């Protein structure tokens, strides 16, 4: 395991030499690139990065320009994880055969995928990679929708969100299904480390990313990516909405070690009502009508129950 | 590369549409070299500009800035340049004018504010607001 | 070369799968990512057994689907090493998008495709529907007619795939069950000879080469896509010459000569069939018999190289015959079969105007027998003498029930 770079505070973090270039085509205010920068800047090691088809891939690798200052591969929508499994396995093979010298420091293998790829179409692939125990980090850029293609629902889309394929209307309050609990699912694969992060809480996120880099085996990071275009808030509100998400506990920040020990890593000083979080995003604006208002109450109940559950698990250490 | 890529025929392109970030081979650890010390190829997106996406732009006031680096970390476009733990300025070639840097700036008055694209830095700084009093 | 050498006899008894497995072993593949599917499974099982007994230095990962198998091969290949896998039928269909991705990204991979029918109905036996599904995928595709050839083609596939002027993935085909599960005499190269023949893997744009960070798998829109597909097509078309060179080099080592279009008794043939796979060998026996018994001068043409299609060589082989039956072992999907199209397309711009018919046969592993072939030869002979096709252009041969035939342009 290579020595982790030390990041004492934001000022020292800012001395990082960026490996993600501007003039990508992501929307102004996109949280994806904030997340990518935090992940890439958390290490000075050599990187091999893969990405699934989606906003990140499309906006950072349109010929003839690449925004990646490291080796990068995209194959398709489902298989960014498996692509990295292939790279990681080849690395092992070439080292065993002496075609990569043992002196060469081990690189970090990082895969990025949207929620569409992670929760839906690429789920089998990630499951296989985690079951086989490849040594890599998978970061899900979770904006709760198929953003790249105009905002269709995924199994990450939360109840009441209006998307183009689960639109709100006089006969529907939008998405009807619960958001899949991807973190628990990946923990159940026996991953040594899974965590939920949000880029606005950079210190919490970078600490977990570094722990992930330090962990041998498949690491899963679910990163909340507030999407200005599909959640429909102004581009300069990305951090503000992200703050509401973690302070309302809609996106609780926690980690699970070896599938057993759950640690809540952020406890808001003042817990914000879920109503405030939902109210900041026009994708939920139809809930603020007499017809659908009850959904907001159901939201609050659900978030409260889950927070209680997380605290209980943390307490009893299972 | 001898010829700009836009002038190349199919026979001159890299097979598989692969793209190189840097010119030639590199013999250093990229993360140990600040971008200005690296030799980028024309196929790095760094060579492009998205400045024309903007209609408003952030202007930086170094007088009020405390180098907290909030703007640096939350810029989605790697357009806040920080060196030696100090804020150096805005990279207007790559800034899209999203305004996140302004929203996360903690000083009073803020050290980054949005102005019309056509505004000069001098004029913008001259218009800088005063410190907001409590309750304002 | 692997550290542990397997001492092989001069003549081994291997089925087509074992031939594949040994070719992989001798080629010192760095990563095999695979998923089991009948009838290709044993290629991987044998290889895994070699690995478990220390005869393979590379890695073997058993992934969770065929799509994942090819995805991992592409990732591993792009990382910078030799990769291979095997599949059939449904597995091939599942990984089809990755085939296009592999060839577009110009990643050398060897795929042992043990040809099996595509569902539905579900069928595990040998036909060429999966082979045909790969037609437009941009892969080089070579066909083995027996177990010896399966070994030879799979071994050569690595050398072809990695050639600096090719860098395209290669499919090594063989008939499911008929070849894959039939143990035959195989004369393999010794490990050292085979390893030297295939050579060391040379990295091109490897992800694990940190001296030159590279971006693989970009998006190209209307302003760039055509140039890259044109470049890919040029490489595929240009590979034929190199494949012929590799065949020649292999002949020096093994004494076995291969051609991009194989022929049997075409020198004086008046009629011919065009086919793929083990049918070629059955037809050799039928041809010998009917020439002796009935004096019909029939020959066989088989494109050993299916992609890039050897259009000129196929046309040249058929210049002097009066009737050709193109035999396609795949459900034709509402039109004439692939070989009929390729052959007709090859002949149309030459002076030759034989009668060309299309026979659909052997679906789902139904045997093509010597008896049936002789009937086909007789029909060809009759048509050639009459100067016209006696029935319709396309006939399904060997199916129980009323005769099924289609397409008649003579207005009968």
């Amino acid at each position: 395991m290579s020595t982790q770079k030390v990041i004492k505070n934001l000022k020292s973090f800012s001395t990082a030499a960026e490996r993600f270039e501007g003039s990508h085509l992501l929307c102004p205010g996109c949280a994806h690139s904030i997340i990518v920068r935090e992940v890439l800047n958390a290490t000075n090691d050599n990187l091999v990065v893969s990405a699934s088809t989606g906003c990140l891939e499309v906006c950072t690798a349109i010929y003839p320009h690449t925004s990646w200052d490291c080796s990068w591969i995209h194959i398709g929508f489902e298989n960014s994880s498996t692509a990295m499994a292939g790279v990681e396995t080849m690395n092992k093979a070439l080292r065993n055969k002496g075609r990569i010298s043992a002196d060469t420091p081990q690189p970090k293998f990082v895969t990025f995928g949207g929620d569409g790829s992670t929760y839906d179409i690429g789920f089998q692939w990630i499951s296989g990679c985690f079951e086989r125990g490849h040594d890599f980090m998978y970061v899900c850029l979770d904006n709760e929708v198929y953003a790249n293609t105009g905002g269709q629902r995924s199994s990450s889309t939360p109840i009441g969100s209006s998307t183009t394929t689960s639109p709100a209307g006089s006969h529907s309050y939008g998405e009807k299904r619960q958001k899949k609990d991807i973190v628990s699912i990946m923990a159940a694969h026996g991953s040594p480390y899974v965590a939920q992060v949000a880029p606005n809480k950079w210190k919490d996120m970078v600490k977990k990313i570094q722990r992930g880099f330090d962990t041998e085996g498949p690491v899963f990071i679910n990163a909340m990516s507030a999407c200005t275009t599909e959640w429909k808030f102004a581009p300069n509100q990305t951090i503000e909405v992200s703050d509401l998400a973690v302070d309302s506990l809609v996106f609780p920040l926690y980690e699970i070690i070896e599938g057993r020990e759950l640690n809540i890593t952020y406890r808001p000083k003042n817990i914000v009502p879920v109503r405030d979080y939902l109210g900041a995003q026009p994708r939920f604006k139809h809930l603020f009508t007499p017809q659908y208002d009850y959904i907001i109450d159901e939201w609050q109940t659900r978030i409260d129950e889950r927070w209680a559950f997380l605290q209980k698990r943390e307490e009893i250490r299972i | 590369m001898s010829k700009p890529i836009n002038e190349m025929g199919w026979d001159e392109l890299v097979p598989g549409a692969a793209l190189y970030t840097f010119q030639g081979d590199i013999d250093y650890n990229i993360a140990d070299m600040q971008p200005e010390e690296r030799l980028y190829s024309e196929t790095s997106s760094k060579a492009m500009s998205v400045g024309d996406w903007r209609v408003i732009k952030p202007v930086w006031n170094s007088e009020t800035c405390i180098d907290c680096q909030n703007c640096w970390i939350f810029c989605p476009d790697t357009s806040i340049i920080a060196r030696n733990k100090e804020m150096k300025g805005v990279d207007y070639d790559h800034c899209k004018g999203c305004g996140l840097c302004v929203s996360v700036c903690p000083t009073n008055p803020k050290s980054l504010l949005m102005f019309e694209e056509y505004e000069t830095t001098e004029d913008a700084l001259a218009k800088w607001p005063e410190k907001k009093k409590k309750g304002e | 070369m692997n550290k542990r050498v397997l001492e092989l006899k001069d003549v081994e008894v291997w089925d087509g799968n074992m031939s594949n497995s040994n070719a992989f072993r001798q080629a010192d593949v760095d990563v095999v990512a695979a998923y089991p599917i009948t009838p290709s499974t044993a290629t991987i099982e044998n290889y895994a057994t070699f690995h478990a007994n220390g005869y393979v230095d590379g890695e073997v990962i058993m992934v969770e689907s065929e799509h994942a198998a090819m995805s991992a091969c592409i990732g591993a290949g792009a990382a910078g090493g030799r990769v291979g896998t095997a599949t059939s039928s449904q597995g091939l269909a599942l990984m089809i998008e990755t085939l296009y991705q592999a060839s577009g990204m110009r990643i050398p991979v060897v795929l042992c495709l043990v040809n099996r029918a595509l569902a539905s109905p579900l069928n595990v036996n040998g036909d060429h529907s999966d082979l045909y599904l790969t037609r437009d995928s941009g892969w080089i595709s070579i066909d083995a007619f027996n177990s010896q050839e399966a070994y030879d083609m799979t071994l050569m596939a690595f050398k072809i795939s990695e050639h600096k002027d090719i860098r395209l993935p290669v499919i090594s085909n063989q008939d499911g069950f008929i070849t894959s599960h039939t143990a035959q005499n195989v004369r393999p190269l010794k490990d050292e000879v085979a390893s030297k023949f295939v050579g060391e893997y040379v990295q091109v744009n490897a992800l694990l080469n940190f001296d030159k960070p590279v971006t693989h798998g970009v998006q190209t829109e209307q302003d760039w896509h055509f140039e890259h597909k044109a470049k890919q097509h040029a490489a595929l078309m240009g590979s034929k010459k190199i494949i012929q060179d590799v065949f020649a080099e292999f002949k020096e080592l093994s004494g076995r000569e291969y051609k991009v279009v194989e022929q049997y008794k075409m020198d004086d043939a008046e009629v011919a069939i065009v086919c793929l796979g083990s049918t070629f060998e059955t037809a050799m026996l039928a041809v010998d018999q009917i020439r002796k018994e009935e004096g019909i001068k029939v020959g066989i043409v088989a494109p050993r190289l299916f992609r890039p299609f050897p259009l000129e060589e196929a046309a040249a082989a058929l210049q002097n015959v009066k009737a050709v039956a193109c035999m396609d072992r795949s459900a034709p999907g509402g039109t004439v079969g692939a070989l009929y199209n390729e052959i007709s397309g090859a002949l149309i711009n030459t002076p030759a105007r034989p009668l060309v018919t299309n026979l659909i046969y052997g679906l789902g592993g139904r045997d093509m027998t010597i008896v049936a072939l002789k009937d086909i030869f007789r029909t060809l002979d009759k048509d050639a003498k009459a100067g016209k096709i006696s029935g319709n252009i396309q006939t399904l041969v060997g199916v129980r029930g009323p005769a099924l035939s289609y397409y008649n342009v003579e207005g009968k």
Side-chain angles (χ1 to χ4, degrees):
Chain A
M1 210 60 53
S2 56
T3 336
Q4 206 65 270
K5 82 189 252 192
V6 176
I7 299 166
K8 280 204 284 274
N9 50 42
L10 192 47
K11 280 201 185 189
S12 70
F13 195 26
S14 76
T15 60
E18 305 272 4
R19 285 189 279 183
F20 187 64
E21 295 302 332
S23 287
H24 51 67
L25 307 178
L26 292 161
C27 299
C30 176
H32 277 15
S33 47
I34 304 174
I35 294 165
V36 167
R37 283 183 59 225
E38 288 185 27
V39 171
L40 265 48
N41 285 335
T43 178
N44 281 350
D45 291 350
N46 277 326
L47 285 165
V48 184
V49 175
S50 70
S52 292
T53 312
C55 282
L56 183 70
E57 168 266 326
V58 162
C59 295
T60 60
I62 288 202
Y63 203 84
H65 293 106
T66 172
S67 300
W68 300 92
D69 292 356
C70 60
S71 280
W72 183 90
I73 183 168
H74 156 254
I75 305 177
F77 201 179
E78 313 88 330
N79 52 14
S80 57
S81 55
T82 313
M84 193 53 73
V87 176
E88 184 255 5
T89 308
M90 182 56 76
N91 182 55
K92 217 190 288 181
L94 297 182
R95 277 174 189 259
N96 283 344
K97 293 186 179 187
R99 304 218 310 264
I100 293 180
S101 103
D103 298 333
T104 311
Q106 288 281 15
K108 296 279 186 268
F109 301 114
V110 183
T111 297
F112 291 102
D115 53 285
S117 167
T118 307
Y119 286 59
D120 291 348
I121 198 170
F123 187 58
Q124 168 217 305
W125 286 251
I126 297 168
S127 178
C129 288
F130 273 64
E131 180 273 321
R132 292 189 300 275
H134 294 285
D135 185 14
F136 78 123
M137 179 186 297
Y138 188 97
V139 180
C140 174
L141 301 164
D142 191 358
N143 55 21
E144 300 188 329
V145 82
Y146 285 88
N148 189 220
T149 44
Q152 296 79 31
R153 67 89 65 185
S154 77
S155 62
S156 166
T157 306
I159 285 182
S161 172
S162 181
T163 73
T164 58
T165 47
S166 62
S170 58
H171 288 61
S172 172
Y173 55 78
E175 176 56 45
K176 295 194 172 54
R177 310 303 312 157
Q178 283 273 25
K179 182 186 170 90
K180 211 154 139 175
D181 184 358
I182 198 75
V183 176
S184 299
I185 294 170
M186 296 321 298
H189 277 74
S191 162
Y193 186 70
V194 306
Q196 186 146 277
V197 302
N200 53 317
K201 294 295 177 211
W202 74 269
K203 200 156 197 190
D204 177 85
M205 174 161 163
V206 170
K207 186 162 174 220
K208 288 166 168 159
I209 297 296
Q210 290 202 312
R211 179 163 188 159
F213 280 143
D214 238 352
T215 303
E216 207 171 314
V219 168
F220 185 83
I221 305 286
N222 201 45
M224 183 196 73
S225 188
C227 177
T228 161
T229 304
E230 296 309 334
W231 298 12
K232 307 199 188 304
F233 53 82
N236 66 353
Q237 289 180 314
T238 304
I239 299 302
E240 184 188 320
V241 169
S242 304
D243 283 340
L244 286 170
V246 301
D247 288 335
S248 65
L249 305 173
V250 170
F251 260 96
L253 302 181
Y254 62 101
E255 60 188 6
I256 306 178
I257 300 161
E258 300 290 348
R260 285 192 308 276
E261 297 176 32
L262 189 147
N263 297 321
I264 294 171
T265 57
Y266 173 69
R267 290 184 144 79
K269 272 207 289 278
N270 299 307
I271 297 177
V272 160
V274 170
R275 178 174 291 270
D276 291 358
Y277 167 71
L278 299 174
Q281 305 160 66
R283 65 172 169 148
F284 291 116
K285 72 175 190 289
H286 54 283
L287 299 181
F288 291 82
T289 57
Q291 185 186 7
Y292 296 135
D293 192 73
Y294 69 97
I295 305 267
I296 301 177
D297 296 329
E298 285 181 4
W299 259 91
Q300 187 66 64
T301 309
R302 197 173 60 250
I303 297 302
D304 290 345
E305 281 173 2
R306 198 197 36 197
W307 184 240
F309 167 74
L310 289 174
Q311 290 181 102
K312 190 79 191 174
R313 260 195 78 175
E314 184 185 42
E315 194 187 303
I316 60 182
R317 313 308 291 157
I318 59 157
Chain B
M1 252 174 281
S2 47
K3 209 185 205 179
I5 195 168
N6 291 301
E7 292 172 23
M8 289 187 187
W10 65 262
D11 54 329
E12 298 164 294
L13 298 168
V14 176
L19 288 169
Y20 303 124
T21 308
F22 301 107
Q23 290 181 39
D25 282 6
I26 59 172
D27 57 0
Y28 50 83
N29 185 14
I30 303 170
D32 291 336
M33 292 283 214
Q34 288 292 357
E36 52 271 21
E37 294 158 34
R38 306 172 193 158
L39 220 62
Y40 287 88
S41 79
E42 59 160 346
T43 49
S44 165
S45 71
K46 192 178 179 65
M48 288 203 298
S49 173
V50 289
D52 57 356
W53 290 31
R54 293 193 305 267
V55 290
I56 51 175
K57 66 176 178 187
V59 174
W60 176 55
N61 186 336
S62 56
E63 308 275 307
T64 52
C65 177
I66 58 172
D67 297 308
C68 72
Q69 308 300 346
N70 271 4
C71 54
W72 169 81
I73 195 172
F74 293 129
C75 174
D77 295 286
T78 324
S79 293
I80 298 289
I81 308 305
R83 294 287 179 271
N84 304 312
K85 305 185 183 180
E86 288 180 352
M87 177 23 176
K88 291 295 180 204
V90 176
D91 177 350
Y92 288 107
D93 282 337
H94 298 113
C95 167
K96 293 172 184 157
C98 72
L100 270 175
C101 52
V102 173
S103 75
V104 300
C105 179
T107 61
N108 184 3
K110 283 185 187 274
S111 306
L112 283 153
L113 287 169
M114 301 304 281
F115 289 86
E116 297 291 338
E117 184 61 26
Y118 53 75
E119 197 91 62
T120 66
T121 309
E122 293 81 13
D123 288 349
L125 289 172
K127 294 181 188 174
W128 216 264
E130 293 297 313
K131 178 174 174 151
K132 277 211 186 86
K133 305 217 181 26
K134 259 200 181 140
E136 242 184 327
Chain C
M1 198 173 84
N2 297 305
K3 284 196 289 286
R4 199 164 174 210
V5 160
L6 191 60
E7 291 302 333
L8 297 172
K9 301 198 271 290
D10 286 342
V11 181
E12 293 281 346
V13 180
W14 288 345
D15 63 19
N17 276 322
M18 183 56 94
S19 290
N20 282 341
S21 314
N22 272 288
F24 267 37
R25 183 186 58 76
Q26 291 183 325
D28 193 10
V29 182
D30 297 317
V31 173
V32 166
Y35 189 82
I37 183 166
T38 306
S40 62
T41 310
T43 294
I44 302 305
E45 288 172 335
N46 299 334
Y47 190 76
T49 305
F50 289 144
H51 187 260
N53 289 304
Y55 289 103
V56 167
D57 295 343
E59 298 286 319
V60 178
I61 45 171
M62 292 309 298
V63 296
E64 76 292 346
S65 82
E66 292 92 344
H67 186 294
M70 189 52 69
S71 302
C73 282
I74 297 171
R82 183 169 291 155
V83 297
T85 189
T87 197
S88 307
S89 175
Q90 309 309 126
L92 183 283
L94 187 62
M95 62 159 76
I96 197 71
E97 71 160 348
T98 60
L99 295 199
Y100 284 72
Q101 288 157 347
S103 62
M105 290 165 72
R106 304 291 296 276
I107 307 295
V109 183
V110 170
L111 170 63
C112 292
L113 187 61
V114 177
N115 301 138
R116 166 186 148 183
L118 280 167
S120 290
L122 187 63
N123 177 289
V124 297
N125 277 294
D127 79 20
H128 297 152
S129 26
D130 55 7
L131 194 171
Y132 284 4
L133 186 58
T134 68
R135 272 187 278 179
D136 291 353
S137 64
W139 285 51
I140 292 169
S141 189
I142 312 175
D143 196 22
F145 308 155
N146 57 46
S147 189
Q148 173 74 67
E149 294 177 3
Y151 166 80
D152 292 346
M153 297 304 139
T154 300
L155 194 67
M156 284 192 276
F158 288 101
K159 196 176 173 74
I160 292 165
S161 185
E162 293 166 25
H163 191 282
K164 65 173 174 56
D165 296 323
I166 299 182
R167 302 305 287 196
L168 283 167
V170 177
I171 304 176
S172 172
N173 295 281
Q174 62 180 275
D175 284 359
F177 279 106
I178 306 166
T179 302
S180 66
H181 284 62
T182 305
Q184 297 181 301
N185 286 347
V186 175
R187 287 169 173 73
L189 302 178
K190 293 285 187 280
D191 279 10
E192 297 89 340
V193 177
S195 174
K196 184 148 170 265
F197 167 71
V198 177
E200 300 274 305
Y201 182 87
V202 174
Q203 287 188 337
V204 173
N205 296 335
L207 294 169
L208 290 171
N209 176 12
F210 297 106
D211 291 344
K212 204 176 178 75
V214 63
T215 290
H216 275 287
V218 299
Q219 176 167 343
T220 59
E221 288 303 336
Q222 70 280 358
D223 50 346
W224 286 106
H225 196 73
F226 207 166
E227 280 66 32
H228 289 288
K229 298 313 278 185
K231 191 177 185 77
Q232 183 185 340
H233 184 68
L236 186 53
M237 299 300 269
S239 70
K240 186 186 79 176
K241 174 72 186 58
I242 298 168
I243 291 166
Q244 288 170 314
D245 291 344
V246 173
F247 281 172
E249 198 182 324
F250 190 77
K251 182 186 171 191
E252 295 300 305
L253 287 175
S254 66
R256 294 185 288 277
E257 181 176 8
Y258 294 111
K259 301 198 171 67
V260 294
V261 173
E262 302 290 2
Q263 301 179 45
Y264 185 69
K265 301 209 164 154
M266 285 303 294
D267 286 340
D268 66 340
E270 291 173 356
V271 298
I273 59 163
V274 182
C275 61
L276 287 169
S278 60
T279 305
F280 186 87
E281 301 213 318
T282 315
M284 287 166 76
L285 297 170
V287 161
D288 287 347
Q289 284 182 25
I290 211 168
R291 276 177 174 258
K292 189 156 172 230
E293 292 155 9
E294 296 173 39
I296 297 176
K297 289 197 166 63
V298 54
I300 316 165
V301 170
R304 178 171 301 287
L305 184 64
F306 185 69
R307 285 291 182 273
F309 189 73
L311 185 145
E312 290 144 336
E313 289 84 354
L318 294 164
Q319 285 301 297
N320 299 319
V321 297
K322 300 200 196 71
V324 185
C326 299
M327 298 180 64
D328 283 296
R329 196 171 201 157
S330 176
T335 181
V336 283
L339 284 177
Y340 177 92
N341 276 328
E342 304 275 20
I343 294 301
S344 306
L347 291 171
I348 195 69
N349 284 305
T350 74
R353 283 291 179 274
L355 302 167
V356 187
T357 51
N358 177 218
L359 303 177
I360 306 298
Y361 77 100
L363 300 190
R366 176 149 303 171
D367 274 335
M368 173 49 65
T369 63
I370 294 174
V371 167
L373 279 160
K374 281 158 131 179
D375 261 341
I376 291 167
F377 299 154
R378 285 183 202 106
T379 306
L380 279 167
D381 184 53
K382 181 178 114 199
D383 287 359
K385 289 190 165 87
K388 61 176 193 258
I389 298 172
S390 47
N392 287 325
I393 294 174
Q394 178 187 70
T395 309
L396 275 63
V397 300
V399 60
R400 294 187 296 278
L404 267 176
S405 67
Y406 297 91
Y407 294 123
N408 190 309
V409 294
E410 292 178 357
K412 280 212 289 247

